[in-house]
Amino acid sequence: MKLFLLGLLAGVLPGLSAPRVPFAPITLYMQFQQAPPDGVLQALQDEVESIMEPIGLRFEWRDLAKTGGHEVSAELAVITFKGRCDTAGLISRGKFEGALGWTHVSDGQILPFTDVSCDRVREFVGPVLLTYGTEEDREDKYGRALGRVLAHELYHIFANTTRHGTGVAKESYNVQDLLSDDFQFQARESRMLQANRPKTVVEVVTGSM
Ligand SMILES: [Zn+2]
């Protein structure tokens, strides 16, 4: 009897955490005060996708500066990267203050506008980045750190909540959170992200099966 139950659970559980039909992609419009190196941008996007993909959220990345006025997106967010987004000229002593990223709120409504401070993430993780041997490695880890900050802000927008939780949704990050090998959302916040997908999109996806 015990074996049967275990088998049944193993068969059911993957369906809970990984939706069989992915949600429609969300368009992310990016604008940079200073263009990042390709290595940073790639690592940033890879990290957001690896955090969000198991939950079922997919993204299309667009450069806001190159976007025409006639694109239609069911869901979108606009992300402004502030300051310097490269890994040259890092200093070994961090002088950190302020938020790494923030999402705009108006009259209690969360707006799909997020700012990520490249400068502050640089200052925060810079001393550790300097201990890596190659520029490639520094760009990779810095991009990943930026991706984690962005994933946190996207959680506020797409779970439509100002509250915090654990994992990527925790209120404040330490350097280890930003640079560790694995950093994910926990089950509660994953469910909130899935539950808040717009109904119309869910219906379109179901109807196409
Ligand atoms: Zn937050």
Side-chain angles (χ1 to χ4, degrees):
M1 192 59 201
K2 231 174 200 170
L3 275 174
F4 173 72
L5 274 177
L6 283 171
L8 191 66
L9 277 176
V12 171
L13 282 174
L16 287 176
S17 56
R20 256 178 243 110
V21 182
F23 301 108
I26 295 166
T27 307
L28 298 180
Y29 293 97
M30 299 178 291
Q31 57 181 345
F32 292 89
Q33 287 183 339
Q34 290 183 37
D38 288 347
V40 170
L41 183 59
Q42 191 61 53
L44 185 167
Q45 294 175 336
D46 286 351
E47 182 62 14
V48 170
E49 285 168 6
S50 83
I51 290 171
M52 295 298 198
E53 205 177 81
I55 302 169
L57 273 68
R58 293 179 300 138
F59 299 98
E60 279 174 6
W61 303 84
R62 304 260 169 81
D63 183 341
L64 191 61
K66 295 177 191 156
T67 301
H70 42 263
E71 295 185 17
V72 179
S73 311
E75 279 189 288
L76 60 85
V78 178
I79 305 131
T80 303
F81 292 89
K82 304 260 188 194
R84 184 174 171 178
C85 304
D86 66 0
T87 57
L90 293 169
I91 50 169
S92 60
R93 192 173 300 177
K95 52 165 183 71
F96 178 74
E97 53 183 70
L100 302 172
W102 55 95
T103 291
H104 297 244
V105 176
S106 173
D107 290 335
Q109 294 283 318
I110 295 165
L111 305 177
F113 292 92
T114 279
D115 294 342
V116 172
S117 176
C118 283
D119 281 338
R120 288 180 184 157
V121 177
R122 251 175 75 95
E123 284 163 15
F124 193 43
V125 299
V128 180
L129 293 180
L130 277 175
T131 66
Y132 298 133
T134 64
E135 191 61 33
E136 192 183 357
D137 213 12
R138 283 192 283 274
E139 287 187 353
D140 188 57
K141 299 300 191 301
Y142 175 54
R144 186 160 78 179
L146 290 173
R148 288 175 181 179
V149 173
L150 177 53
H152 176 101
E153 299 307 324
L154 294 176
Y155 152 77
H156 285 305
I157 293 173
F158 295 111
N160 192 25
T161 180
T162 56
R163 296 176 66 170
H164 290 104
T166 51
V168 178
K170 69 194 280 195
E171 186 164 14
S172 70
Y173 286 5
N174 56 39
V175 172
Q176 178 67 18
D177 292 328
L178 289 171
L179 296 177
S180 65
D181 282 338
D182 189 39
F183 195 47
Q184 297 288 332
F185 281 110
Q186 302 300 307
R188 182 172 170 275
E189 288 79 27
S190 297
R191 280 195 299 271
M192 287 169 71
L193 278 163
Q194 291 167 342
N196 281 296
R197 304 276 50 75
K199 270 212 159 56
T200 49
V201 172
V202 174
E203 279 159 9
V204 168
V205 169
T206 309
S208 69
M209 281 180 71

